[in-house]
C-alpha cells in the first residue's frame, strides 16, 4: 500500500508538471485571442497587423525551439524546463503594460523564446520516458491535455478580459508557481545526455531533417498550423464584426473548438490510427477540418458557430497526435527531443505565417475568404499523406 506522501512524490508530480508546462504554449496565444479586438481598438492597431500580435511568439518559438531542443538533448530536458517557465511568466505578464504595438510585439517575441524552451523540454521528457504504444497513448493524452487547456484558457481570457484586455495577460503568471513545482519534481536527479552522445548531434540532426519522410511530416505540420490558427486569430474578429460577440463569447467559441479535439485525442486517435493506418486517419482529420472551415462565413448564429467549432476540433484532434507520433516513430532516441522540438517549431512557424499568408487574402478578397483559403490549405496538407511515407533506413 502506498504511503500518504506517495501522491506528492517527485516521480508522481513529474508528468503533471510536464503536461501543465506544455499547456502554457497554448495559453500564450489562446488567452489573448478573445480580447484581440478590444486590444486592437485600444492601441489603435490596424486589422491586418493585429493578427501578428497573436502569432508573433510563434515565429521566435519556431526559430529557437530547435536550438533549445539540442540543448535539452545535451544537458537533459528537465534542466531546460525551469528557466523556460520562469521567463514565460515574466514576459507573459509584462505584455499587459506595453503602451503600443511595437513594444508589445517585442515582448511577444521574447515570450515565444520561452515557449520554445517549454516545447523542447516537455516533448523531450515525454520522448525519453515512453516508447512504442505507451508513447502513442501518452502523446494522445498530452494532446488531450493541450486541447482541454485550449478550452480553459480562452474561456479564462475572455472572462477576465471582459472588463479590460490587460487582465488576460496576467493569466501567464500561473507559470511562476508551476516553476517551483518543477524544481521539486525534477530536483537535480534528471540525467543529462552523456557527453559521447552529445558530440556531433547538430550534424546528425541536419541529416535526419533532410530525409524525405521527416521533411514531408514537417511540411504537413506547417500547412496544418497555418489553417488551424486561422480559427484562433480570425474567428473572434469575424464574430465580433458579424455577430457582435463579446470577448467572453469569443472565448466560448474557441473553447468549443477544443472540446472535440480533447475527446478525439484522448479516446479516438489511437483506435482510428490502428484501424485505418496513421496516414489515412490523419487525412480524415484534415478533411473534417476543411469541411468545417469553409462554411464559417455562412453561419449567422452563435449555436451554429459553436457546432462548427466543435466539429473542427474533432478533425484537429485527429491530426495533431498522429503527426507527432509519426515524427517520433522515425526519430533516433538520442535526437528525439531535438526532432520533436523542430516539429513544434515548424508548427508554430505555421501559426506565425497564418496572419501573414492569410492577411494577403484578407486585404485582397475580404475576411470571409480567409476561411475558404484555410480550408484549401487543410486539403493540401491531407493530400500529402495519401501516399505512404518511405520507410526509414534501418
Amino acid at each position: 500500500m502506498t504511503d500518504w506522501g506517495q501522491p506528492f512524490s517527485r516521480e508522481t508530480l513529474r508528468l503533471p508538471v510536464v503536461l501543465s508546462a506544455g499547456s502554457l504554449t497554448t495559453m500564450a496565444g489562446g488567452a489573448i485571442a478573445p480580447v484581440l479586438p478590444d486590444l486592437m481598438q485600444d492601441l489603435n492597431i490596424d486589422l491586418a497587423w493585429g493578427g501578428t500580435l497573436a502569432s508573433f511568439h510563434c515565429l521566435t518559438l519556431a526559430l529557437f525551439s530547435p536550438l533549445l531542443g539540442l540543448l535539452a538533448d545535451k544537458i537533459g530536458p528537465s534542466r531546460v524546463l525551469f528557466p523556460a517557465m520562469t521567463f514565460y511568466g515574466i514576459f507573459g505578464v509584462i505584455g499587459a503594460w506595453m503602451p503600443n504595438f511595437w513594444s508589445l510585439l517585442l515582448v511577444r517575441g521574447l515570450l515565444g523564446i520561452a515557449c520554445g524552451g517549454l516545447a523542447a523540454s516537455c516533448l523531450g521528457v515525454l520522448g525519453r520516458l515512453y516508447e512504442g504504444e505507451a508513447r502513442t497513448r501518452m502523446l494522445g493524452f498530452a494532446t488531450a491535455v493541450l486541447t482541454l487547456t485550449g478550452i480553459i484558457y480562452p474561456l479564462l481570457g475572455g472572462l477576465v478580459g471582459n472588463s479590460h484586455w490587460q487582465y488576460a495577460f496576467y493569466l501567464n503568471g500561473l507559470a511562476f508557481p508551476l516553476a517551483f513545482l518543477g524544481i521539486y519534481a525534477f530536483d537535480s536527479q534528471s540525467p543529462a545526455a552523456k557527453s559521447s552522445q552529445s558530440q556531433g548531434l547538430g550534424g546528425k540532426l541536419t541529416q535526419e531533417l533532410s530525409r524525405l519522410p521527416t521533411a514531408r511530416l514537417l511540411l504537413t505540420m506547417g500547412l496544418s498550423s497555418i489553417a488551424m490558427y486561422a480559427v484562433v486569430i480570425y474567428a473572434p474578429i469575424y464574430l465580433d464584426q458579424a455577430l457582435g460577440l463579446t470577448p467572453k463569447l469569443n472565448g466560448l467559441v474557441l473553447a468549443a473548438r477544443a472540446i472535440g479535439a480533447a475527446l478525439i485525442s484522448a479516446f479516438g486517435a489511437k483506435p482510428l490510427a490502428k484501424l485505418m493506418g496513421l496516414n489515412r486517419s490523419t487525412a480524415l482529420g484534415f478533411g473534417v477540418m476543411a469541411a468545417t472551415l469553409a462554411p464559417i462565413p455562412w453561419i449567422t448564429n452563435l449555436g451554429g458557430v459553436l457546432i462548427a467549432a466543435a466539429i473542427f476540433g474533432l478533425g484537429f484532434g485527429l491530426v495533431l497526435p498522429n503527426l507527432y507520433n509519426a515524427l517520433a516513430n522515425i526519430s533516433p532516441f538520442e535526437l528525439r527531443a531535438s526532432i520533436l522540438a523542430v516539429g513544434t517549431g515548424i508548427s508554430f512557424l505555421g501559426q506565425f505565417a497564418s496572419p501573414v499568408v492569410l492577411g494577403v487574402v484578407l486585404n485582397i478578397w475580404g475576411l470571409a475568404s480567409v476561411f475558404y483559403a484555410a480550408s484549401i490549405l487543410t486539403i493540401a496538407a491531407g493530400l500529402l499523406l495519401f501516399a505512404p511515407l518511405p520507410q526509414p533506413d534501418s
Side-chain angles (χ1 to χ4, degrees), residues 43 45 67 71 84 106 113 119 122 148 154 157 200 212 242 251 254 276 280 285 310 312 315 320 325 347 352:
L43 298 184
I45 298 172
L67 299 175
L71 181 63
L106 173 62
I113 297 175
C122 293
L148 281 171
L212 180 59
L254 293 176
M276 303 174 62
R280 286 188 173 87
F312 175 88
L320 188 62
N325 190 43
S347 294
F352 167 75

Side-chain angles (χ1 to χ4, degrees), residues 322-344:
N322 283 351
L323 289 178
Y324 274 109
N325 190 43
L327 194 60
N329 285 341
I330 62 174
S331 302
F333 177 82
E334 69 273 13
L335 287 171
R336 191 163 292 157
S338 299
I339 294 177
L340 290 176
V342 171
T344 301

Side-chain angles (χ1 to χ4, degrees), residues 87-99:
F87 284 117
Y88 178 95
I90 294 171
F91 296 125
V93 170
I94 65 174
W97 308 326
M98 296 299 104

